[in-house]
Amino acid sequence: MAGILNNLYPPIVDTMMPSFVRTTACKVYFSLSSYNDSADIQNVQVTVSNQNSSLTALDPTQYPAGVKITSLNVDTDIESDDRYYITISPSDLKDGAFEINQYYKVQIRFTGTGAAAFTSSTKVAAWLTNNQAYFSEWSTVCLIKGIQQPLIYIKGFDSNDTSSSTETVFTVSEVVDVVGSMYYDENEDEDEYLASYEVNIYDSNSRAVYESGIQYSNEYYPNEINHKVKANLTNTTEYTLSITYTTNNGYSNTVSYTFMTVSNGIDALNATISVEADEENGRMIVTVVSTDTTEFLSNLCIRRTSSESNFTIWEDVYISLINQGSSLNLTWYDYTVESGVWYRYCAQKINAKGQRGTIITNRYPVMIYLDDIFLTREGMQIRIKYDPNISSFKTTLSESRTETIGSKYPYIRRNGNVAYRQFPISGLVTAFMDEDGVFISKDSTFGDNLEYYEEYNEENLITDYNDFVYEREFRKQVMDFLYANKATLFRSLSEGNILVRLMDVSFTPNATLGRMLYSFSATAYEIDECSLDNFEKYGIQTVGEYSTYIEYTYEQKGQLAGTYVGTTQDVITSIQSEIDLKTISGYIETIYYLKWLRIEFQGDPYLIVCGKDGSLTPATASDTVTENMVYGYIVYINNEAILVSPRGYYELLDEDTEVISVWFPVSSEVIVDYIGYISEVEDTSSYASRLYYYTRAGQLWGTFDTNTSLSKQIYTKYYLDYKAYYQKLTAIDRITVESSPGAVVYVKDSFDDDYYRHVVGPTGILDFYDDEATISAFYFCGMHLNPMTDETRLEPEDDEYYDTGITVYSLDSITNPVKNGVYTVAATESSEDETDAALSAVSADEDSGEVTVEESETIYDEDEATYTLLLSEIVSDSDQYIWYRGQWYTFTSDGDVLCPVEGLVDYIYELIKGEY
């Protein structure tokens, strides 16, 4: 201890050091007394003992006195006082390693410079005895603990850490779900668990594009990592995902992964999304509707961003399994929007593995303007429409005022972090504040008795304006809502959104109306900040979770006819084979059982031997006819023999019997009518385990008819599907059309439902590009001609047309047509067939865009149908034809000739390759 000969004071050490990997050295950090510096210290003495037994844990062969003598180290990267440390290596211990789940007690003391130099560990006892006057006191006990090396698994990434790898993982969404866990490789149980983690995303310039802050682990599943990245990541841009994790005893490490989002065309949601502000009811109406009639079976997610984050933070607001057996047509209401804030919404599919697909979004933001006060909780909302009032509004702070004798003015101090808002609220309660039945309705209030209620009101001339009964029932529900011991979301134009609890709620009847109406008053206290996470936490509006098993079950009538014999030709198996032929790609359909069955035998009945034990056996040719034989048929249902009369009809009427097997012991020609219970599930085996993404340039040239889908030609060009991998086009980002001036091009992009007409200008080039949209489909649709203005010329130029003003009943009657001359064909029955024959070139078959892959035939069906309808309308609306380049073609009111066009198309496309 410090004294006349020794002025050393013990080191100042924490009660515990952060955990460390048990196969590495442990550093014990400490600080020096303010009365000492490092020059006063010759060396450091260290003892290490087992916490359970208090026996020394040091190797006795190296440290016979149980004391390790080592040098004083300084960490120059640390500026604080506790920058000094000593090192304890696994080789210093008896077993050569730190034990799992074992705490060690460490104590440290200093040796002063006046002591004799320490020269040999074999003479340490004598050295300790002779120099004890120069030692400081022992420090307080510091605990250390070695743990196994934690490993991090993140779904979608193969390795534990790709920070030193050039590998890039591709996600199929602009939204990244970071889902995984911390685990240990060693077999022995480790009690160290994950306490918290941070998720950060950096761009290629190491700039942070997203920082999650500290996320604490789930107390029930402490090693689980589950975080949704709320940043709007740019498609096809490379990012680094960094996860910094900390265990319960302070071990911390960081792992990194490189990834890129690729969303276009992967798990595409073939739908449109629209958003409408419903200001009367204080909500946004989000509608997602399929663009085709295909059955929708998947998880659907709706996400939201706002002007408050400059539209950079996207958050889930609704997730649900849609398995209704019909096309997608969903309407969802968002009751948490704030007045005066602009919002955008997007929708996407989530498969059973949690992978997110392409998003569809409303292109322009929408804002809501609230005229009334709204109180929202658990899918219910009260609108304070009449006499809304807030008489005061204050922020409560924890402050104290101290007055002293010597000071003229008081001392005011703010204590703690208390800062919450409170305000009184009041209004009139009446059913007229809920005219659209958002809160409750008469149907939900009276149920099956609604008919009696309405009849009574009609007979007694009771209207909505003097309906005491419904006003009372409505008020009861309002009272239950306001008195509930739960958080409520307060929303208004003046105050914005505030998460509150209502206290001191009271109701006052209005005597002038015979107490039919009541007014209420309450005091609102802010309890937490407004965020989607807190809305979920307090039950204001729940998001939901995606289903890991996507199934749709339905009943289907069917009929099967044929000849069957034996268990290998089970009728259920035959039905399953027919179902397999009709199953949509990406799904698996299985018949569970038959709930109704009728069998009609077509062949002649045969002799059946009825055994004494109830068995039924078809008679053979060698059997002698006995009284135990009958004519009929045998069918095995659920492996039980059923005797069918010679009439040949059998019907199973018991709805409680689930038929899982139907077979015949002898060859039987039958007609089977049934109702099957069928399950349709998502085929998760069809999802690629690894994706490769490419952005490339391509070119297409030739002569194109008006019905030639160029986008389909491009798609077919790159489509491959094999057992080991698949390849397909995910998007056409840009097209540049080179053609003769006047060439007409119809283009549809991902933001539009309609095609738009474009004409190639004098430069001969048209460029189509939008950084937020992709090209859905495009067609050449003839040549545009200008009217001939100089009538002194004998004939029009190549880019002009001449309106002859001639009307005929048949194009065949024109023997010497004028170059680029336009003629009108009168509509008669006799002329229709002749005109169709003359215009056969318009509907010439596509010769260069033949689809050879089965799946690609349906890729552009919706876009093709839209264009085909558009083209047919253009043709049907025109009764004019033009003699152009030696042939007759339809001539439209826009001045377009529906003829083949020579052109060259350069395009930028996105290609995805997936390995199964």
Side-chain angles (χ1 to χ4, degrees):
M1 62 179 292
I4 297 175
L5 298 178
N6 179 11
N7 64 349
L8 284 180
Y9 289 86
I12 303 170
V13 62
D14 289 338
T15 56
M16 185 171 181
M17 289 291 111
S19 298
F20 58 95
V21 177
R22 59 190 291 264
T23 56
T24 63
C26 170
K27 292 183 178 180
V28 179
Y29 284 85
F30 51 85
S31 59
L32 306 182
S33 167
S34 58
Y35 297 104
N36 298 129
D37 60 34
S38 58
D40 299 330
I41 301 170
Q42 180 188 117
N43 57 44
V44 182
Q45 303 174 39
V46 183
T47 63
V48 183
S49 59
N50 191 304
Q51 186 190 35
N52 293 333
S53 63
S54 295
L55 298 176
T56 182
L58 293 174
D59 183 5
T61 59
Q62 298 183 66
Y63 311 108
V67 178
K68 175 182 178 179
I69 299 176
T70 183
S71 59
L72 177 69
N73 302 305
V74 181
D75 192 333
T76 56
D77 295 330
I78 299 177
E79 297 181 357
S80 58
D81 292 339
D82 57 347
R83 60 183 179 274
Y84 302 96
Y85 69 93
I86 55 95
T87 300
I88 304 173
S89 300
S91 58
D92 292 332
L93 305 185
K94 293 178 181 179
D95 299 326
F98 293 93
E99 295 181 21
I100 294 177
N101 300 330
Q102 176 62 59
Y103 288 94
Y104 295 88
K105 296 187 293 185
V106 176
Q107 285 187 282
I108 305 170
R109 72 179 177 183
F110 295 140
T111 303
T113 54
F118 178 73
T119 57
S120 174
S121 60
T122 58
K123 301 178 180 179
V124 64
W127 182 86
L128 291 171
T129 302
N130 296 332
N131 294 277
Q132 58 183 334
Y134 300 96
F135 299 159
S136 73
E137 292 283 358
W138 287 102
S139 69
T140 57
V141 172
C142 175
L143 295 179
I144 63 173
K145 181 188 179 187
I147 63 172
Q148 302 176 47
Q149 174 64 63
L151 300 175
I152 297 295
Y153 162 75
I154 300 297
K155 186 176 181 180
F157 296 89
D158 289 342
S159 59
N160 182 55
D161 188 350
T162 63
S163 57
S164 60
S165 171
T166 58
E167 177 186 21
T168 298
V169 175
F170 298 96
T171 69
V172 296
S173 172
E174 294 174 0
V175 179
V176 179
D177 284 339
V178 180
V179 179
S181 62
M182 187 185 81
Y183 67 99
Y184 301 95
D185 258 354
E186 297 184 44
N187 294 328
E188 300 177 46
D189 292 335
E190 173 65 71
D191 60 12
E192 192 85 357
Y193 59 86
L194 180 66
S196 64
Y197 58 91
E198 295 182 53
V199 177
N200 301 318
I201 295 181
Y202 303 93
D203 62 15
S204 56
N205 296 318
S206 299
R207 289 183 300 225
V209 297
Y210 178 78
E211 296 177 334
S212 70
I214 297 177
Q215 305 293 309
Y216 294 98
S217 62
N218 188 319
E219 61 178 322
Y220 300 105
Y221 304 97
N223 288 331
E224 181 181 278
I225 296 174
N226 194 335
H227 181 74
K228 289 183 175 63
V229 174
K230 300 174 183 177
N232 184 23
L233 302 180
T234 304
N235 192 37
T236 71
T237 299
E238 190 171 273
Y239 296 96
T240 298
L241 169 66
S242 174
I243 300 177
T244 300
Y245 62 94
T246 303
T247 66
N248 59 308
N249 285 316
Y251 175 79
S252 183
N253 195 16
T254 300
V255 293
S256 299
Y257 309 90
T258 303
F259 72 96
M260 178 185 291
T261 60
V262 182
S263 64
N264 289 328
I266 305 173
D267 256 358
L269 180 59
N270 298 319
T272 59
I273 182 171
S274 61
V275 182
E276 178 186 354
D278 181 6
E279 296 182 349
E280 286 293 314
N281 294 303
R283 61 188 180 182
M284 291 290 189
I285 304 176
V286 183
T287 305
V288 184
V289 180
S290 292
T291 56
D292 54 33
T293 57
T294 306
E295 170 194 322
F296 185 84
L297 177 60
S298 183
N299 295 298
L300 180 69
C301 173
I302 297 176
R303 296 175 65 83
R304 187 182 82 183
T305 185
S306 72
S307 56
E308 291 185 325
S309 68
N310 198 23
F311 303 106
T312 59
I313 303 298
W314 287 86
E315 297 178 277
D316 292 345
V317 290
Y318 175 81
I319 298 175
S320 178
L321 172 63
I322 309 296
N323 59 347
Q324 303 301 316
S326 59
S327 61
L328 179 62
N329 189 347
L330 173 76
T331 299
W332 177 76
Y333 303 100
D334 189 354
Y335 290 98
T336 63
V337 289
E338 185 170 359
S339 183
V341 178
W342 294 92
Y343 292 94
R344 290 183 63 190
Y345 293 81
C346 72
Q348 64 184 163
K349 292 166 64 176
I350 303 179
N351 63 29
K353 288 187 175 181
Q355 298 171 338
R356 296 175 180 252
T358 309
I359 66 170
I360 57 172
T361 180
N362 64 314
R363 191 163 194 173
Y364 302 105
V366 181
M367 185 184 74
I368 196 167
Y369 194 92
L370 301 179
D371 290 325
D372 304 311
I373 293 175
F374 292 89
L375 300 175
T376 306
R377 182 183 66 244
E378 296 178 337
M380 302 181 70
Q381 177 171 272
I382 293 177
R383 177 187 182 190
I384 313 301
K385 182 178 181 180
Y386 301 103
D387 298 338
N389 185 44
I390 295 177
S391 59
S392 65
F393 192 95
K394 74 171 185 176
T395 298
T396 300
L397 303 171
S398 179
E399 296 175 324
S400 62
R401 185 183 75 250
T402 304
E403 297 175 351
T404 63
I405 298 176
S407 176
K408 179 179 178 180
Y409 302 102
Y411 293 96
I412 298 177
R413 293 179 176 84
R414 183 165 295 177
N415 306 313
N417 197 33
V418 175
Y420 61 89
R421 293 171 285 184
Q422 69 178 76
F423 49 94
I425 178 176
S426 62
L428 181 67
V429 177
T430 172
F432 287 99
M433 60 196 263
D434 187 41
E435 294 174 317
D436 293 333
V438 174
F439 181 60
I440 63 171
S441 65
K442 290 183 179 180
D443 286 336
S444 62
T445 302
F446 299 108
D448 296 336
N449 298 319
L450 177 61
E451 181 180 352
Y452 306 124
Y453 167 81
E454 290 180 339
E455 289 178 358
Y456 180 87
N457 284 358
E458 185 177 353
E459 292 172 0
N460 293 275
L461 303 178
I462 298 175
T463 67
D464 292 339
Y465 296 96
N466 62 345
D467 192 344
F468 277 73
V469 174
Y470 186 59
E471 286 289 348
R472 183 193 66 205
E473 296 301 321
F474 183 86
R475 185 171 60 253
K476 284 182 179 179
Q477 295 293 331
V478 172
M479 286 180 172
D480 291 342
F481 182 91
L482 297 179
Y483 281 125
N485 185 26
K486 296 179 181 179
T488 302
L489 177 61
F490 169 92
R491 296 186 298 142
S492 72
L493 178 61
S494 299
E495 290 76 25
N497 286 14
I498 306 175
L499 196 56
V500 301
R501 281 283 298 273
L502 298 177
M503 299 179 65
D504 303 322
V505 180
S506 64
F507 288 82
T508 304
N510 190 324
T512 59
L513 296 176
R515 304 189 309 281
M516 183 176 77
L517 303 183
Y518 278 54
S519 295
F520 85 96
S521 64
T523 303
Y525 295 88
E526 184 179 20
I527 61 169
D528 213 331
E529 66 177 9
C530 283
S531 68
L532 288 176
D533 290 338
N534 282 338
F535 295 159
E536 176 83 12
K537 173 183 176 181
Y538 294 107
I540 304 299
Q541 181 171 276
T542 57
V543 176
E545 296 181 354
Y546 72 88
S547 175
T548 57
Y549 185 71
I550 298 176
E551 180 185 28
Y552 167 62
T553 56
Y554 61 96
E555 296 178 359
Q556 176 177 292
K557 293 181 179 180
Q559 186 181 79
L560 203 64
T563 301
Y564 304 93
V565 61
T567 56
T568 58
Q569 288 187 307
D570 194 308
V571 169
I572 304 294
T573 304
S574 300
I575 295 174
Q576 182 64 58
S577 299
E578 288 195 353
I579 292 174
D580 292 340
L581 295 175
K582 301 175 183 178
T583 301
I584 302 173
S585 176
Y587 297 93
I588 299 173
E589 290 192 77
T590 305
I591 182 165
Y592 280 164
Y593 57 85
L594 304 181
K595 61 180 302 182
W596 174 78
L597 177 68
R598 183 174 63 195
I599 302 174
E600 179 181 350
F601 289 85
Q602 301 296 299
D604 295 330
Y606 48 85
L607 277 174
I608 299 171
V609 179
C610 300
K612 294 181 180 180
D613 57 355
S615 62
L616 301 174
T617 307
T620 63
S622 59
D623 288 338
T624 303
V625 178
T626 66
E627 60 181 8
N628 293 330
M629 291 185 178
V630 296
Y631 270 100
Y633 307 89
I634 299 175
V635 56
Y636 279 82
I637 297 178
N638 294 345
N639 290 321
E640 293 289 335
I642 305 294
L643 177 63
V644 181
S645 69
R647 293 177 58 248
Y649 288 95
Y650 175 80
E651 182 173 0
L652 179 65
L653 297 176
D654 184 6
E655 293 185 356
D656 295 331
T657 300
E658 298 178 356
V659 178
I660 59 174
S661 174
V662 179
W663 58 278
F664 305 94
V666 298
S667 180
S668 302
E669 182 182 356
V670 294
I671 297 175
V672 180
D673 295 293
Y674 62 88
I675 296 178
Y677 187 77
I678 299 173
S679 166
E680 181 180 4
V681 299
E682 189 178 42
D683 183 9
T684 57
S685 65
S686 63
Y687 299 136
S689 60
R690 183 173 293 275
L691 298 173
Y692 302 91
Y693 168 81
Y694 311 94
T695 299
R696 292 176 177 172
Q699 193 175 75
L700 197 66
W701 66 90
T703 300
F704 304 102
D705 285 313
T706 57
N707 61 345
T708 300
S709 171
L710 280 75
S711 49
K712 189 170 184 177
Q713 283 195 19
I714 295 172
Y715 181 91
T716 307
K717 184 177 181 180
Y718 300 105
Y719 186 87
L720 297 172
D721 193 1
Y722 299 104
K723 289 184 177 180
Y725 72 93
Y726 72 86
Q727 173 183 286
K728 68 178 180 179
L729 190 80
T730 63
I732 302 174
D733 295 331
R734 184 173 193 163
I735 59 173
T736 301
V737 176
E738 297 183 32
S739 187
S740 302
V744 178
V745 183
Y746 277 85
V747 180
K748 177 179 179 294
D749 66 29
S750 56
F751 272 125
D752 295 315
D753 296 329
D754 301 319
Y755 285 85
Y756 289 92
R757 174 179 172 273
H758 305 270
V759 179
V760 177
T763 62
I765 297 176
L766 270 179
D767 188 53
F768 299 91
Y769 175 72
D770 186 332
D771 58 358
E772 293 188 359
T774 58
I775 306 299
S776 300
F778 64 103
Y779 292 78
F780 278 106
C781 194
M783 296 291 296
H784 175 72
L785 303 182
N786 299 312
M788 178 180 173
T789 56
D790 186 0
E791 297 185 0
T792 61
R793 295 201 308 267
L794 296 177
E795 63 180 23
E797 298 289 344
D798 290 343
D799 61 349
E800 296 179 332
Y801 69 88
Y802 172 66
D803 191 346
T804 64
I806 299 174
T807 300
V808 296
Y809 291 103
S810 172
L811 295 175
D812 292 337
S813 64
I814 305 173
T815 57
N816 190 21
V818 178
K819 172 189 174 182
N820 293 7
V822 177
Y823 300 83
T824 301
V825 176
T828 65
E829 291 185 7
S830 60
S831 66
E832 289 180 358
D833 294 338
E834 296 176 4
T835 303
D836 290 342
L839 298 177
S840 59
V842 176
S843 58
D845 289 335
E846 181 180 332
D847 55 1
S848 58
E850 182 181 358
V851 181
T852 57
V853 184
E854 180 180 349
E855 181 178 337
S856 65
E857 294 179 0
T858 62
I859 296 299
Y860 291 94
D861 280 355
E862 191 68 26
D863 294 329
E864 284 183 309
T866 303
Y867 176 78
T868 301
L869 179 61
L870 172 66
L871 185 60
S872 65
E873 290 176 351
I874 292 173
V875 173
S876 63
D877 289 343
S878 176
D879 59 357
Q880 290 188 314
Y881 301 91
I882 187 171
W883 181 254
Y884 183 72
R885 297 177 182 174
Q887 291 191 49
W888 289 108
Y889 295 101
T890 298
F891 188 73
T892 72
S893 58
D894 291 326
D896 298 343
V897 183
L898 302 187
C899 64
V901 177
E902 291 184 359
L904 182 146
V905 180
D906 295 304
Y907 53 90
I908 305 295
Y909 65 97
E910 298 175 23
L911 190 70
I912 198 77
K913 178 181 178 182
E915 294 180 351
Y916 295 114

